[in-house]
């Protein structure tokens, strides 16, 4: 069979992995919605919720992961850096959703492809892809439009509460940790650390770290006893679809397709967040320029990462 036939064969698994990547992004788009719902509607403590949800996933697949994990990974510096990035990413992400709107959290999260490029250049000496700065500028303009307030004297008057600023600050920290996470996963593939190993490390560190932090800050766990049917349904969806499904999809597809290609679909997360936030939380963007801002962000991020994925930088002389 010729190379051309192989490339066009209908059994090519690429489409399966593209679908898996979209499913993973759908799960992460749902993350701030369910995290916010569980904390603001069901009144669950955030860190305890994070520990419990990851604990459910660990119970379900921990045995399988343990038997397929690489024992040598426990002494790998990359694995420990990965664990730190996971804890920072997850804790800041879940707390951000308790302070501000889910769409604001996800909007800040879309800066991750830019942060991957900037951190890659800073930490690993990688060259910054072309059009990074223009794409960042367009995204910032889109963000200003989304946050603009009609009650002000100007279109660019922002309406942010103290909680909004705290939540968006936490979301930006979460994006920094996620950028580190993606860079470390890419390098883990070069060191033969399996996806099962990475997911096991992630679950163990999250259950222990968030559980200990919850006890240290004195969160009230009695709210679990008052959780109703809707709350348990939301918690189950958060644990099984978001944390289990999206994590498996993300780790598998990044290793299979590469971080730039998977990142090019980041825009789908914001679409998912907008739809679910409207349905579950009643949070909507109603102004024309807010939707224009969303379109600018989606376009800038998607086109930027698509370009970097399809036009890799040539090797340095």
């Amino acid at each position: 069979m010729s190379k051309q036939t192989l490339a066009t064969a209908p059994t090519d698994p690429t489409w399966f992995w593209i679908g898996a990547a979209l499913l993973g992004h759908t799960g992460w788009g749902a993350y701030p919605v369910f995290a916010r719902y569980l904390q603001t509607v069901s009144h669950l403590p955030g860190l305890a919720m994070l520990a419990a949800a990851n604990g459910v996933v660990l119970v379900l697949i921990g045995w399988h992961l343990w038997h397929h994990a690489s024992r040598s990974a426990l002494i790998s510096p990359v694995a420990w850096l990965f664990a730190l990035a996971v804890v920072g990413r997850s804790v800041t992400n879940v707390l951000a959703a308790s302070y501000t709107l889910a769409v604001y959290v996800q909007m800040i999260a879309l800066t991750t492809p830019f942060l991957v490029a900037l951190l890659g250049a800073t930490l690993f000496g990688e060259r910054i892809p072309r059009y990074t700065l223009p794409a960042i500028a367009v995204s910032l303009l889109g963000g200003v439009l989304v946050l603009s307030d009609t009650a002000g004297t100007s279109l660019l008057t922002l309406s942010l509460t103290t909680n909004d600023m705290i939540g968006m600050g936490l979301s930006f920290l979460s994006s920094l940790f996620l950028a580190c996470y993606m860079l470390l996963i890419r390098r883990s593939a070069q060191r033969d650390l399996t996806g099962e190993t990475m997911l096991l490390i992630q679950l163990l560190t999250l259950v222990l770290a968030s559980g200990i932090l919850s006890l240290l800050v004195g969160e009230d766990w009695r709210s679990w006893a008052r959780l109703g049917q809707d709350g348990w349904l939301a918690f189950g969806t958060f644990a099984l679809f978001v944390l289990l499904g999206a994590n498996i999809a993300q780790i598998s597809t990044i290793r299979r397709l590469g971080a730039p290609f998977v990142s090019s679909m980041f825009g789908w997360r914001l679409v998912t967040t907008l739809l679910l936030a409207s349905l579950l939380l009643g949070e909507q963007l109603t102004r024309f320029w807010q939707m224009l801002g969303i379109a600018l962000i989606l376009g800038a991020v998607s086109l930027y990462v698509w370009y970097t994925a399809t036009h890799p930088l040539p090797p340095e002389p």
Side-chain angles (χ1 to χ4, degrees), residues 3 8 16 32 59 68 92 98 136 184 189 213 229 260 269 287:
K3 291 183 179 180
T8 58
F16 169 82
V59 168
H68 290 82
T92 53
S98 69
I136 291 174
L184 288 169
L213 286 173
Q229 182 177 351
R269 297 188 181 194
R287 305 300 177 183

Side-chain angles (χ1 to χ4, degrees), residues 66-144:
W66 175 256
H67 282 279
H68 290 82
S70 170
R71 304 297 189 270
S72 62
L74 296 177
I75 59 175
S76 168
V78 172
W80 285 107
L81 288 173
F82 173 84
L84 291 174
V86 165
V87 172
R89 153 69 173 171
S90 298
V91 170
T92 53
N93 203 24
V94 77
L95 293 180
S98 69
Y99 282 96
T100 191
L101 302 183
V103 65
Y104 290 177
V105 173
Q106 195 61 259
M107 183 180 68
I108 298 297
L110 288 187
T111 62
T112 303
F114 306 133
L115 295 175
V116 169
L118 296 176
L119 285 178
T122 302
L123 300 178
F124 303 111
E126 300 175 356
R127 285 177 293 169
I128 297 177
R130 193 178 182 184
Y131 302 122
T132 297
L133 294 181
I136 291 174
V138 173
S139 297
L140 287 175
L141 174 60
V144 170

